[in-house]
Amino acid sequence: MPSSLSSLEDQVVRILARYPKPRSAAMPILHLIQETQGFISKEAMEWVAARLDLQPAQILELVTFYPMFRQHPVGRNHLKICRTLPCALMGAESLRDHLLRKLGVKLDETTPDGRFTVSEVECLACCGSAPVLMVNDDLHENITPEKLEQILAACL
Amino acid sequence: MKTLTLTIDGKICAGAAGQTILEVATASGIEIPTLCHMKELSPWGGCRMCIVEVGGIAKPVPSCATPAADGSVVVTKNERLDRLRKLTLELLFSERNHICPICPMNKGDCELQMSGYKFGIDGIRFPYLYPALPVDLTGKYLGLDHNRCILCARCIRTCDEIEGAHTLDLGNRGVKSQVIVDLNSTFGASTTCTHCGACVSACPTGALFDKNAAFHGALKRCAQVRTTCAECPVGCGLVVYTMDDRIVDVFGDGDSPVNRGHLCVRGRYETWAVKRERLTEPMVRRNGALAPVAWDEALAAIRAATRGLKSGEKGLLVSGRLTNEAAETLAKIRPSVSSVGMYVAENEAAMCGDPGAARDVFPLLQEADAFVLLGADPARLQGVVAARIRVAVRKRGAKLVMLNVRSSDLDAYADISSRMVGLERAFWKRVADVLKGRRKPVLIYGPNAMTSLGVAAMEKLLKTFDADCGPSVIGLPATTNALALSAAGVEAVDDLSRWFASAPLRAVHVCAADEPAGGARILREREVAGCLKAMEFVVLQTAYFSRLVELADVVLPALAWSERSGTITNFEGRKLPLRPALTPRGQARDDADILESIYA
């Protein structure tokens, strides 16, 4: 068992205690792994499968079904632009292109300094203040190119 | 059980509570089109071909996943349902690259294609998506072509619910959904796949196919022969598909009370998809080299060489794959060959004494809540039994304790897995904890339980089960017909070199029948090669070439499994038929006939 995963054992035990069947704990454990490791590796999926008496394919099914799970590391600041219709009508697409041009990356690529990764996500439930952008877990509303500059400057 | 009455297409149909509309309709002879449904699997409701109208419900419902309700009025055919089913088919055809002329299932073996014909699909109103999808040809015996997949998940559910491996699953979502193998692996690299081929049998299209059968002939046009797998003592029913006197494919027989259509890699593929070098002519050694001869000449050579020998100087060593009918012949020829032995698997001879009472083992496996395997490795030898155990462990939470001499693919599913040596009190305490409270335990023992270590472990184990709930004890031999042959008086030989030494043998006849390795496994035992070399005369009767041929003075071609007839008795005591699917290759003859023509 990879040592970084075994350090999660206590938390995994607590999560398992919340469910009648171990299988039900798969989602929260995957979230825990992504939070602590940054992404969900193959080793992590194997570990979760063995820990829950599931087969590896059953874990990959979850990880590939839910877009919020990722199998690759991202930069320190994960910029998530909404791609759903209200944001698109309010200019999210040109904002996205602007951001990618400025950082010199493609979607889901990380800048060479490891600072930024840009991804598209589904609705962030703030259509009234479109377009919106999330930086890691922080939501930013009514984004304009100027506002974007300030947000990027504030990112470490 | 509560009974239900439904009106389906104007016909009064009786069903039982818990049945689906589809089950009631099928039992009443009303056909509802399906695509993702398989009666062996739990309902899925994915394809929407089986939609029906139920009185009082505005939308059509999938009949495969809707429980039948008492008094409901069901319509299975009308213009609206027809239109919707056609739409479903058009969507399926437009999604991937269903190009029939280059598909191995073309010409009748594809359920999607046949549904297309049935519903008169002559054009698709939707733009084809033409996705670029890979083909996985790394599997030893099977291939996966994502271009032809309709995502019905029959393979996934079969792998999960019948083989118990859950190698396959559905990855990604929406239009990008795709069947995945392990963690995005391939069949060739999979760590969980058992190569049982059940996914291929379940696939309604050409997405999963047998590499060795592809483009060798449409199954629909093949002759079908129902026979019994002779690879192990489980005795699974086979359906052999043949065309022009060659095997095109082999599937499990759904009507077999033993395997109910399921097979393991040995029966499904190793029987025909592995190249084995056949022996087709009698041969006699002349001036150091084997030369092909006619049967009469070979038999004359044997008679000439053994004429001066007493019956006690002639030994006959037979394979445990011989049929019950061959055992009768052996009894008949006993006066002219007094020393008859049957070679079996390591430590198996001690299992052969008492065949035990006949009984149905599979219902026991189906209900068991704990399995203890002692000196048995069904994952390697009797895959259909291993599948039942995996399903019980994974799906029903049954416990599994393994005590073996070497590692097994089932170890990964076991609560406790250990070699048989050095077991201390703490170990037995752990076993007792695992088995505590289990009401239907099953103890399966194999040849390696017959060693002194195995017998000691068996004694310990029997005391470890809850006192009021003793286990069902099941013997699982390794050799196809060894139990029945020994019951018929053919003595199983524990130590071959001792057998050679026990009688003043001068000539020996090895009857290997259709053993896959031509009987050469006897050479694995110490000193057997030396014993054979020390004989004045060696006759080898076998379907396949092996190293044994070099040691033989006369070689006689026997029938292979696909050409044999007769019966074998499985580990449950069922007498099962072998039926020839092919004509004998070359000059090959039946084992019993050969023995009779030499010794009778």
Side-chain angles (χ1 to χ4, degrees):
Chain A
M1 168 193 332
S3 60
S4 54
L5 289 168
S6 61
S7 68
L8 301 176
E9 184 57 28
D10 287 351
Q11 293 170 76
V12 167
V13 169
R14 274 200 295 281
I15 293 171
L16 279 167
R18 302 207 300 258
Y19 298 95
K21 282 185 184 163
R23 182 179 177 166
S24 312
M27 292 287 286
I29 291 173
L30 289 171
H31 275 297
L32 173 71
I33 288 170
Q34 182 157 292
E35 273 162 36
T36 53
Q37 321 254 308
F39 70 105
I40 300 167
S41 63
K42 267 197 168 145
E43 293 70 38
M45 285 189 262
E46 268 159 16
W47 183 76
V48 177
R51 191 67 188 72
L52 301 180
D53 283 335
L54 296 174
Q55 295 294 73
Q58 292 175 286
I59 300 300
L60 184 63
E61 177 190 28
L62 293 176
V63 170
T64 56
F65 181 83
Y66 292 105
M68 70 266 191
F69 288 134
R70 49 179 185 263
Q71 295 186 65
H72 300 285
V74 288
R76 288 193 300 282
N77 302 285
H78 192 195
L79 309 176
K80 292 171 268 191
I81 298 185
C82 175
R83 67 168 171 201
T84 313
L85 185 60
C87 283
L89 288 171
M90 295 302 285
E93 287 177 345
S94 61
L95 213 57
R96 175 201 62 200
D97 292 342
H98 173 74
L99 194 54
L100 293 175
R101 221 172 14 250
K102 185 173 162 57
L103 296 175
V105 288
K106 294 196 185 97
L107 269 184
D108 294 318
E109 265 181 17
T110 302
T111 52
D113 58 3
R115 244 176 109 200
F116 296 106
T117 306
V118 184
S119 301
E120 286 186 326
V121 293
E122 298 302 336
C123 183
L124 294 169
C126 285
C127 308
S129 44
V132 295
L133 164 79
M134 266 182 109
V135 180
N136 297 332
D137 290 334
D138 297 326
L139 183 75
H140 299 269
E141 297 160 285
N142 298 312
I143 307 295
T144 57
E146 296 72 39
K147 213 164 170 185
L148 200 56
E149 293 297 326
Q150 293 168 20
I151 293 167
L152 291 183
C155 290
L156 294 171
Chain B
M1 194 184 286
K2 198 173 164 267
T3 53
L4 309 169
T5 309
L6 286 78
T7 311
I8 305 178
D9 292 345
K11 186 178 169 184
I12 309 290
C13 302
Q19 277 189 305
T20 61
I21 296 174
L22 178 65
E23 282 167 341
V24 176
T26 307
S28 309
I30 296 167
E31 199 193 325
I32 300 176
T34 58
L35 211 43
C36 74
H37 176 77
M38 274 177 76
K39 66 179 192 306
E40 297 84 358
L41 304 176
S42 50
W44 175 256
C47 72
R48 258 44 196 182
M49 283 301 286
C50 72
I51 47 170
V52 294
E53 288 180 351
V54 177
I57 303 175
K59 287 184 190 171
V61 297
S63 60
C64 72
T66 307
D70 198 26
S72 58
V73 178
V74 178
V75 175
T76 74
K77 291 173 207 60
N78 63 25
E79 209 177 303
R80 178 200 188 200
L81 292 171
D82 233 34
R83 185 163 41 81
L84 289 170
R85 288 178 185 143
K86 264 181 152 164
L87 188 69
T88 296
L89 284 172
E90 285 184 63
L91 287 165
L92 284 174
F93 276 114
S94 69
E95 198 166 343
R96 299 254 169 127
N97 306 308
H98 295 285
I99 301 162
C100 299
I102 53 163
C103 176
M105 300 302 158
N106 188 21
K107 298 201 162 78
D109 295 336
C110 172
E111 291 179 35
L112 180 66
Q113 186 188 41
M114 295 320 280
S115 303
Y117 285 131
K118 189 172 158 188
F119 284 91
I121 306 281
D122 49 12
I124 310 291
R125 287 167 286 169
F126 307 102
Y128 289 96
L129 297 184
Y130 295 124
L133 292 167
V135 181
D136 176 6
L137 289 176
T138 62
K140 199 167 177 194
Y141 301 112
L142 56 91
L144 168 56
D145 184 349
H146 293 285
N147 294 290
R148 304 191 163 114
C149 176
I150 58 167
L151 301 169
C152 67
R154 273 161 56 159
C155 55
I156 296 170
R157 288 176 288 147
T158 301
C159 187
D160 179 48
E161 297 176 24
I162 293 178
E163 179 62 7
H166 204 119
T167 296
L168 302 174
D169 213 316
L170 211 49
N172 300 323
R173 64 193 297 179
V175 76
K176 288 186 179 156
S177 296
Q178 194 171 308
V179 170
I180 50 170
V181 179
D182 288 347
L183 294 178
N184 251 342
S185 181
T186 57
F187 276 111
S190 170
T191 52
T192 58
C193 178
T194 60
H195 309 284
C196 72
C199 52
V200 178
S201 326
C203 184
T205 71
L208 281 154
F209 55 91
D210 289 328
K211 282 158 72 170
N212 292 278
F215 306 111
H216 279 66
L219 296 177
K220 212 171 184 180
R221 295 192 195 165
C222 286
Q224 294 178 29
V225 175
R226 275 159 216 279
T227 182
T228 303
C229 178
E231 297 301 311
C232 87
V234 175
C236 294
L238 300 181
V239 183
V240 183
Y241 287 78
T242 64
M243 188 180 274
D244 305 333
D245 208 20
R246 63 185 162 83
I247 294 176
V248 174
D249 211 334
V250 171
F251 288 99
D253 183 356
D255 295 332
S256 158
V258 177
N259 57 319
R260 300 195 185 285
H262 188 47
L263 288 179
C264 74
V265 64
R266 298 183 74 195
R268 176 88 163 77
Y269 294 118
E270 289 177 10
T271 41
W272 62 281
V274 176
K275 191 102 187 94
R276 293 173 185 166
E277 200 184 344
R278 258 319 272 285
L279 222 132
T280 54
E281 292 170 302
M283 292 189 287
V284 171
R285 191 170 298 279
R286 280 183 189 139
N287 307 323
L290 285 168
V293 294
W295 268 104
D296 286 349
E297 215 173 314
L299 296 177
I302 294 169
R303 273 191 292 271
T306 57
R307 186 168 298 135
L309 302 181
K310 297 190 206 93
S311 92
E313 290 170 331
K314 291 185 278 185
L316 176 57
L317 199 53
V318 302
S319 163
R321 285 171 72 104
L322 286 185
T323 58
N324 297 326
E325 291 68 22
E328 289 168 21
T329 304
L330 287 175
K332 238 192 288 177
I333 63 173
R334 214 45 188 268
S336 54
V337 200
S338 61
S339 207
V340 178
M342 168 172 59
Y343 61 94
V344 287
E346 195 184 9
N347 299 320
E348 197 181 17
M351 277 187 93
C352 292
D354 169 29
R359 63 175 162 170
D360 290 354
V361 168
F362 283 94
L364 290 174
L365 302 181
Q366 211 79 34
E367 290 177 2
D369 59 1
F371 295 87
V372 179
L373 298 189
L374 179 66
D377 187 6
R380 193 166 59 86
L381 295 173
Q382 304 94 351
V384 168
V385 172
R388 297 294 202 281
I389 295 172
R390 257 193 312 269
V391 170
V393 169
R394 285 197 44 253
K395 311 290 283 184
R396 305 202 318 268
K399 300 288 180 188
L400 176 59
V401 175
M402 313 251 307
L403 274 168
N404 261 322
V405 292
R406 54 181 82 87
S407 66
S408 159
D409 284 351
L410 279 177
D411 288 341
Y413 301 88
D415 296 276
I416 297 177
S417 178
S418 167
R419 300 296 88 87
M420 272 190 230
V421 287
L423 303 175
E424 294 179 357
R425 185 176 290 178
F427 172 83
W428 293 109
K429 171 84 173 62
R430 272 208 300 143
V431 174
D433 286 345
V434 165
L435 298 178
K436 201 175 169 61
R438 296 285 139 175
R439 309 320 293 166
K440 288 178 176 170
V442 165
L443 170 62
I444 299 174
Y445 68 96
N448 285 321
M450 308 317 281
T451 60
S452 56
L453 282 171
V455 171
M458 174 77 97
E459 277 174 19
K460 272 280 198 203
L461 272 173
L462 289 174
K463 283 184 233 156
T464 311
F465 292 94
D466 284 2
D468 57 334
C469 249
S472 305
V473 181
I474 297 165
L476 189 58
T479 305
T480 311
N481 206 24
L483 293 199
L485 291 175
S486 84
V490 189
E491 195 193 338
V493 177
D494 189 33
D495 184 332
L496 284 177
S497 42
R498 206 182 297 162
W499 180 81
F500 275 98
S502 66
L505 295 182
R506 290 169 63 191
V508 72
H509 177 159
V510 179
C511 175
D514 61 345
E515 296 223 359
R521 66 188 168 97
I522 63 170
L523 297 176
R524 258 184 270 154
E525 279 193 47
R526 244 174 349 115
E527 293 164 23
V528 165
C531 293
L532 285 171
K533 278 181 194 149
M535 291 294 125
E536 289 167 28
F537 193 69
V538 175
V539 178
L540 174 65
Q541 178 176 333
T542 173
Y544 303 106
F545 267 100
S546 76
R547 285 195 296 135
L548 273 182
V549 171
E550 294 158 25
L551 300 171
D553 297 293
V554 174
V555 179
L556 306 173
L559 297 182
W561 67 273
S562 48
E563 301 150 17
R564 290 162 79 190
S565 46
T567 60
I568 51 175
T569 306
N570 84 339
F571 75 124
E572 300 171 294
R574 279 178 213 271
K575 215 172 193 184
L576 299 162
L578 298 177
R579 298 192 186 96
L582 301 176
T583 58
R585 302 293 96 155
Q587 307 288 311
R589 281 171 58 183
D590 179 71
D591 286 302
D593 288 351
I594 300 174
L595 292 172
E596 224 171 318
S597 53
I598 299 172
Y599 300 104

